[in-house]
Amino acid sequence: MKSYVLLLALTVLSAALPCRSSAGSASSVTIKIQNFTYNPNPITVPVGATVTWVNTDIVPHDVVSDDKTFKSKLLEKDEHFSYVFSKPGTYHYVCSIHPKMTANVIVQ
């Protein structure tokens, strides 16, 4: 029974962590749009990282940075949008149709 509880806890923990892969010095991170939130939030990535947002909600969402550095189209369920962060800084973004949905990408 303890093994089952430990396995369940590890499964839940791994689902909460961002997906990362390494290709040279660049990395990739996936942010899930779920339950009207961006998850994880905030997230820190290196310069050159590709961030991909995937909408897992049944309603459409988008991803729009405050300074319009990046802007996705309206994403339907299971659609995605990617952006490569080439400069350090903090990028605040929102869903333009659900403005209470906000998050940050910190690029170092």
Side-chain angles (χ1 to χ4, degrees):
M1 182 65 175
K2 285 184 180 181
S3 296
Y4 175 76
V5 172
L6 180 60
L7 179 61
L8 180 61
L10 289 173
T11 302
V12 169
L13 262 176
S14 67
L17 296 174
C19 302
R20 296 175 190 225
S21 65
S22 179
S25 61
S27 67
S28 297
V29 177
T30 300
I31 296 175
K32 288 184 180 179
I33 304 171
Q34 59 187 11
N35 300 319
F36 291 85
T37 62
Y38 297 105
N39 186 29
N41 174 38
I43 191 147
T44 301
V45 299
V47 171
T50 300
V51 176
T52 300
W53 289 264
V54 179
N55 184 13
T56 62
D57 271 346
I58 59 172
V59 299
H61 296 289
D62 62 6
V63 180
V64 182
S65 66
D66 287 354
D67 64 0
K68 307 295 189 261
T69 298
F70 55 89
K71 179 180 180 182
S72 72
K73 69 177 188 83
L74 208 54
L75 303 173
E76 299 292 337
K77 182 172 176 36
D78 297 326
E79 289 187 318
H80 67 275
F81 166 74
S82 295
Y83 182 77
V84 177
F85 287 89
S86 60
K87 295 181 183 176
T90 299
Y91 297 82
H92 180 75
Y93 62 94
V94 302
C95 174
S96 66
I97 57 175
H98 305 108
K100 291 188 178 187
M101 289 178 60
T102 65
N104 291 294
V105 175
I106 302 162
V107 182
Q108 299 178 333

